[in-house]
Amino acid sequence: MKEALIHKGCKVEIIDSPIPEPKAGQVVTKVVFSGSNPKDWKVPEWMPPDYPALNQGDDIAGTVHSVGEGVIEFKKGDRVAAFHEMLQPGGSYAEYAVSWAHTTFHLPEKTSFEEGAALPLAALTAVVGLYGNKKLNLPQPWSPAQQDIPLLVYGAASAVGAYVVQLAVKSDIHPIICVAGRAQQHVESMIDRSKGDTIVDYRQDNDKVVQGIKDALKGQKLEHAYDAVAELEKNTIQNIIQVLDQKSGKITLVLPPKGGWEAKWEEIPEGIYQVPTNVSGVHKDMKDLGYVFSRYFTRGLEEGWFKAQPQEVVPGGLGGIESALNKLKEGRASAVKYIFRIGDTPGAGL
């Protein structure tokens, strides 16, 4: 099969590899579409010079090819989407990919493979930050909030941010203050203005952004913030800590500081609880959370309240990855997921 390895500098190497065999508890999927994520170019940059290039794809959509021992929910031919375990063999930038059954979920017939490829990693990242026991720990959709819980979502038009907003609405968490830029119409389609939800444009100067958030709160205390950007250069953290309660506030961030996932952002005051949202937890200490919400995604897609981030199919199959990763690196993606039709790869299927 054809497989793409990602090197530093967004360089892509396409190689021939054997079709993977599933271990116990695993699913091997014939990939129809793979999705991309910013981490796909970032991880090679973070690694030491001698670290081997890996298939960084983690968003799988396709049909089940084979299953490992103990897998009872899936069979050959099932339409599925799945989150591949990061930094492990069998990524989605290939004709066949591997996932654990607990982060694999059925796609309803009305949900396309294109949509499926836009979901897994970003949607589960939203879940971990919102509902993780040591994260924001907010009310879950099947036990919705019984009172106002203001939630600030910085980067609401990003894939992670959009899934945070949709899940928060299902949990009846309001008002949601969404910070977004040119993709505000996309965010508008997800929020409920009647419950106080609103949008603040981050393209204003920082003082106006902060004031816009304060105005949206209408005197309410802000205790929960989800930073789906987490970049000091974009002033997300600096703006959030000006409005978050200094004694009871919680902030979760999708990126770690320079010191790594165990380190703390020095810019965040001591009184504010800060915690990173690392989606790898669904393959470690949050397996049950990943399992339950993966199945809940199927219901949400079927019922229509959960929708995939808009997609852009990049031409060339695996050959299109390099250009897409460069666009992600340059910050050119707005309210879109770059995805790849694996069958379009030269030599695929041979």
Side-chain angles (χ1 to χ4, degrees):
M1 70 171 188
K2 297 297 181 183
E3 179 177 24
L5 307 182
I6 314 301
H7 297 264
K8 288 185 178 182
C10 300
K11 299 300 181 183
V12 176
E13 175 188 8
I14 298 177
I15 64 171
D16 290 308
S17 299
I19 296 174
E21 295 289 336
K23 298 177 182 177
Q26 289 184 335
V27 176
V28 173
T29 296
K30 180 176 175 56
V31 185
V32 179
F33 279 92
S34 171
S36 60
N37 293 283
K39 65 145 278 285
D40 300 348
W41 71 263
K42 290 179 179 180
V43 170
E45 300 290 330
W46 294 339
M47 294 303 181
D50 59 345
Y51 197 84
L54 295 175
N55 174 346
Q56 293 288 346
D58 296 316
D59 284 332
I60 303 167
T63 58
V64 173
H65 171 70
S66 60
V67 299
E69 181 182 354
V71 176
I72 60 173
E73 291 183 77
F74 306 100
K75 64 182 186 304
K76 186 177 178 65
D78 283 350
R79 301 175 74 255
V80 297
F83 173 41
H84 162 260
E85 184 175 4
M86 297 186 295
L87 304 183
Q88 296 300 313
S92 67
Y93 290 158
E95 293 184 70
Y96 295 84
V98 178
S99 60
W100 293 99
H102 75 275
T103 55
T104 303
F105 54 97
H106 291 283
L107 290 178
E109 286 299 324
K110 66 180 182 181
T111 302
S112 68
F113 289 124
E114 291 94 325
E115 292 169 309
L119 286 162
L121 183 150
L124 284 169
T125 301
V127 164
V128 169
L130 280 173
Y131 305 117
N133 185 43
K134 294 181 180 179
K135 311 299 183 184
L136 295 184
N137 198 20
L138 288 164
Q140 298 180 352
W142 46 85
S143 183
Q146 301 299 305
Q147 60 187 22
D148 282 356
I149 303 178
L151 172 66
L152 175 61
V153 182
Y154 217 111
S158 68
V160 172
Y163 297 136
V164 168
V165 172
Q166 291 182 65
L167 289 166
V169 168
K170 189 64 177 174
S171 289
D172 207 15
I173 294 167
H174 300 284
I176 306 172
I177 298 98
C178 300
V179 181
R182 62 183 183 272
Q184 291 183 38
Q185 187 173 355
H186 175 50
V187 178
E188 191 71 49
S189 69
M190 298 182 286
I191 63 175
D192 187 344
R193 290 275 183 176
S194 72
K195 296 188 177 181
D197 299 348
T198 193
I199 301 171
V200 176
D201 193 330
Y202 68 71
R203 294 172 296 181
Q204 309 172 86
D205 66 59
N206 293 317
D207 288 342
K208 289 183 178 179
V209 172
V210 170
Q211 189 58 51
I213 296 170
K214 290 179 177 178
D215 291 344
L217 287 166
K218 297 180 179 178
Q220 290 180 290
K221 182 191 295 187
L222 179 66
E223 296 183 303
H224 301 90
Y226 197 121
D227 189 346
V229 182
E231 294 182 20
L232 291 173
E233 298 81 5
K234 296 181 179 179
N235 287 289
T236 65
I237 298 170
Q238 298 94 317
N239 290 344
I240 290 171
I241 61 177
Q242 291 188 63
V243 291
L244 201 57
D245 190 89
Q246 301 294 295
K247 295 181 179 179
S248 59
K250 294 182 179 181
I251 179 174
T252 190
L253 311 98
V254 293
L255 291 177
K258 291 181 180 179
W261 289 107
E262 302 302 319
K264 295 290 186 182
W265 289 91
E266 295 177 357
E267 294 77 12
I268 300 176
E270 278 294 321
I272 293 175
Y273 177 77
Q274 60 164 297
V275 62
T277 284
N278 187 343
V279 70
S280 66
V282 299
H283 289 126
K284 297 174 182 176
D285 59 326
M286 288 185 276
K287 287 184 179 180
D288 287 352
L289 189 70
Y291 172 87
V292 170
F293 271 94
S294 291
R295 278 118 196 92
Y296 198 60
F297 294 158
T298 302
R299 172 178 285 187
L301 292 167
E302 181 62 40
E303 294 178 348
W305 59 262
F306 195 57
K307 300 180 186 299
Q309 184 80 335
Q311 314 94 49
E312 179 181 323
V313 180
V314 180
L318 297 176
I321 294 174
E322 190 165 312
S323 66
L325 295 188
N326 274 302
K327 288 180 181 179
L328 290 173
K329 186 174 183 178
E330 294 163 7
R332 292 161 61 185
S334 177
V336 68
K337 285 280 284 187
Y338 297 128
I339 63 173
F340 315 98
R341 184 183 287 107
I342 303 303
D344 290 349
T345 306
L350 298 179

